Amino acid sequence: FVVSDIPLVDDTANPLANGDIAVMSLVVQATVDGTDGTNTGEIVADDNGNTSPGGGGFTNGPTTVTAGVAATNADDTTTMETVFNDTAFTDLVTGATIDGVGAADADQNAQQSSYSSYTMGTAALTVTKTSSTLYDPINLETSPKAIPGAFVRYTVTIDNAVGSATATLTNISDALLGSTMDPVLSNGGAGNAILPGSTGFNIRIFDGASTETFCLADGSGGDAADGCTLAAGIITVVLGTAAGTAVLNATESLTVEFNVIVP
């Protein structure tokens, strides 16, 4: 029974990604009956000149078992002799061999190793942010430019890749950097509002399919009940609340849209 902590990085110190494989090795050591796991009953030499663990020591729990001293004893039919007859294990998948001290496994060292692995199943999120100018006070809606007074729509999209694990959504924040929000999420000109009559700053959220929700971020940041706040120039959207879902499955996406007015 093997319990393994999931590693944070791979063997080249890179963060683990979806599909990475973690390999585990399990080494067994020959012991006297009834003393396994105590570090007191390991058989560290046989009668044919073989030693175990055959290296600098074998760690089994809190104690390191030191290697035995080679002893070659003449065969004696009146004595029950200890003979190591194990062969070096080679993993059929990885081709690797290892013993208790991390060295290559060897024949007749009273150890045997085996490998297993598990594949990492993690979310693989990609976040993209794009902008499009909807309106400016000179060109109106015809080839508008991002000049002072223009309405610019920002679209933030979160995608979870094919074959990834389900992602648990938390929140996403964006700084306005001096701009002000379009209070009615309009398509450009006054009166061309998606949510007419709004008194706050509307944020539209798509769940990647057809579901569309809105939340309201007021200037004081005090309306967090719907999942959106605007405070100190930073928009924060609590996705699990504002989007109505706390997860993003593989291949799914979620889009957050808001308008700003260029100062």
Side-chain angles (χ1 to χ4, degrees), residues 96-138:
T97 61
I98 193 171
D99 66 7
V101 294
D105 199 6
D107 293 340
Q108 297 175 292
N109 70 344
Q111 292 180 353
Q112 189 72 73
S113 58
S114 184
Y115 287 78
S116 186
S117 65
Y118 54 85
T119 301
M120 304 299 299
T122 63
L125 298 181
T126 302
V127 181
T128 57
K129 181 181 178 181
T130 60
S131 65
S132 60
T133 305
L134 306 175
Y135 167 91
D136 74 44
I138 304 299

Side-chain angles (χ1 to χ4, degrees), residues 36-255:
D36 53 301
T38 64
N39 290 319
T40 59
E42 287 78 2
I43 304 174
V44 294
D46 72 358
D47 292 306
N48 286 342
N50 299 307
T51 61
S52 179
F58 175 61
T59 299
N60 179 27
T63 305
T64 298
V65 180
T66 58
V69 177
T72 301
N73 301 312
D75 293 341
D76 186 344
T77 58
T78 66
T79 303
M80 185 174 68
E81 298 183 352
T82 299
V83 178
F84 297 159
N85 197 37
D86 57 279
T87 57
F89 171 80
T90 300
D91 185 84
L92 297 179
V93 176
T94 66
T97 61
I98 193 171
D99 66 7
V101 294
D105 199 6
D107 293 340
Q108 297 175 292
N109 70 344
Q111 292 180 353
Q112 189 72 73
S113 58
S114 184
Y115 287 78
S116 186
S117 65
Y118 54 85
T119 301
M120 304 299 299
T122 63
L125 298 181
T126 302
V127 181
T128 57
K129 181 181 178 181
T130 60
S131 65
S132 60
T133 305
L134 306 175
Y135 167 91
D136 74 44
I138 304 299
N139 302 290
L140 305 181
E141 297 179 7
T142 303
S143 300
K145 307 296 187 295
I147 61 176
F151 286 66
V152 176
R153 174 164 298 168
Y154 284 97
T155 302
V156 180
T157 303
I158 307 169
D159 293 293
N160 197 8
V162 175
S164 299
T166 297
T168 300
L169 302 176
T170 54
N171 60 71
I172 188 168
S173 297
D174 198 6
L176 294 182
L177 298 177
S179 300
T180 57
M181 289 193 72
D182 170 14
V184 293
L185 192 64
S186 66
N187 282 330
N192 188 18
I194 295 176
L195 290 183
S198 170
T199 58
F201 305 102
N202 285 294
I203 298 171
R204 179 168 55 182
I205 302 167
F206 297 95
D207 70 353
S210 58
T211 304
E212 178 182 70
T213 59
F214 293 87
C215 61
L216 187 65
D218 66 17
S220 67
D223 64 338
D226 66 356
C228 292
T229 60
L230 173 62
I234 298 176
I235 305 167
T236 299
V237 181
V238 181
L239 297 172
T241 300
T245 178
V247 297
L248 196 65
N249 297 316
T251 74
E252 291 184 343
S253 64
L254 185 145
T255 300

